[in-house]
Amino acid sequence: QSSILADIPSAAIVNSKLLDIYRSKMIPALCENGDDSNHGSTAVQDVHCLQTMATRIYYGLFVAESKFRSETEKATKLIKAKDRAGLMAFITKLDVEEKNIQRVILKARTFSQNIAAGEAGQLAPAPSAATTYKINPEFIGKAFKEWIMPLTKEVEVEYLLTRLESEPGGQKVLPVPPTLKPPPSSEEPQAKRSRKD
């Protein structure tokens, strides 16, 4: 079965950046200081969180391929010009991004609540003054906006920059030698052949 994606460049692998952000930005904001001695369980949850975020980020490869196929001519011009800023604008849909951020915040509000007793409006988009959370839902929106989405878009741009070098399925795109001429079109007259009866 052939791959949907073309070759993925090493520059589109952002695992080290994600790990650094997770350690230096996310964990300090989400966790209290101290040691609960549950190192094994903590490590398992760390890996789970990192894998979930990485999966979300690398879905950007399929998004980039889809955008390339839907607007191939426009994308090809930007790729040939090595226009990073142009490619970033090409893949960016600000209205969609804003909706995604709000959706993430709403989900965080819903699933991170401390449920002590049922409360009217507790699951509504607007936060209730009496509702408390295990984590700050607004921070989850911030993490999505400032780190996860930018890493996703970085992956998309790096993928697109090398998209013309191979085709899905791992086939390299070989340049045509300048000495080769294209075959004659079907409209050109063909040489007549004599037939022996």
Side-chain angles (χ1 to χ4, degrees), residues 8-18 57-58 61 151 154-156 158-159:
I8 301 172
S10 59
I13 306 301
V14 295
N15 296 339
S16 296
K17 292 182 180 180
L18 175 60
I57 290 167
Y58 291 125
L61 294 168
L151 281 178
E154 179 181 339
V155 165
E156 292 185 37
E158 294 296 344
Y159 173 80

Side-chain angles (χ1 to χ4, degrees), residues 110-125:
T110 302
F111 294 110
S112 70
Q113 293 180 48
N114 290 311
I115 308 297
E119 177 189 353
Q122 191 169 32
L123 299 183

Side-chain angles (χ1 to χ4, degrees), residues 9 14 48 65 87 91 101 131 134 136 154 161 164 166 185 191:
V14 295
H48 178 68
E65 179 66 25
L87 285 170
I91 65 173
I101 293 168
T131 304
K134 294 179 176 67
N136 181 357
E154 179 181 339
L161 283 170
L164 301 179
S166 67
S185 67

Side-chain angles (χ1 to χ4, degrees), residues 9 63 121 132 153:
V63 173
T132 59
K153 291 163 73 172

Side-chain angles (χ1 to χ4, degrees), residues 22 27 31 36-48:
Y22 183 70
I27 291 299
C31 300
D36 62 5
S37 299
N38 293 320
H39 301 162
S41 299
T42 300
V44 169
Q45 293 305 316
D46 283 337
V47 171
H48 178 68

Side-chain angles (χ1 to χ4, degrees), residues 83 184 187:
D83 186 351
E187 297 178 357

Side-chain angles (χ1 to χ4, degrees), residues 108-185:
R109 286 179 188 164
T110 302
F111 294 110
S112 70
Q113 293 180 48
N114 290 311
I115 308 297
E119 177 189 353
Q122 191 169 32
L123 299 183
S128 168
T131 304
T132 59
Y133 302 93
K134 294 179 176 67
I135 57 175
N136 181 357
E138 302 300 324
F139 176 78
I140 302 303
K142 174 183 176 181
F144 199 81
K145 179 179 181 179
E146 295 186 4
W147 302 311
I148 296 177
M149 289 176 64
L151 281 178
T152 303
K153 291 163 73 172
E154 179 181 339
V155 165
E156 292 185 37
V157 169
E158 294 296 344
Y159 173 80
L160 288 172
L161 283 170
T162 62
R163 178 57 182 80
L164 301 179
E165 297 174 12
S166 67
E167 288 294 330
Q171 298 178 344
K172 293 290 184 181
V173 178
L174 300 177
V176 178
T179 55
L180 295 181
K181 295 182 179 180
S185 67

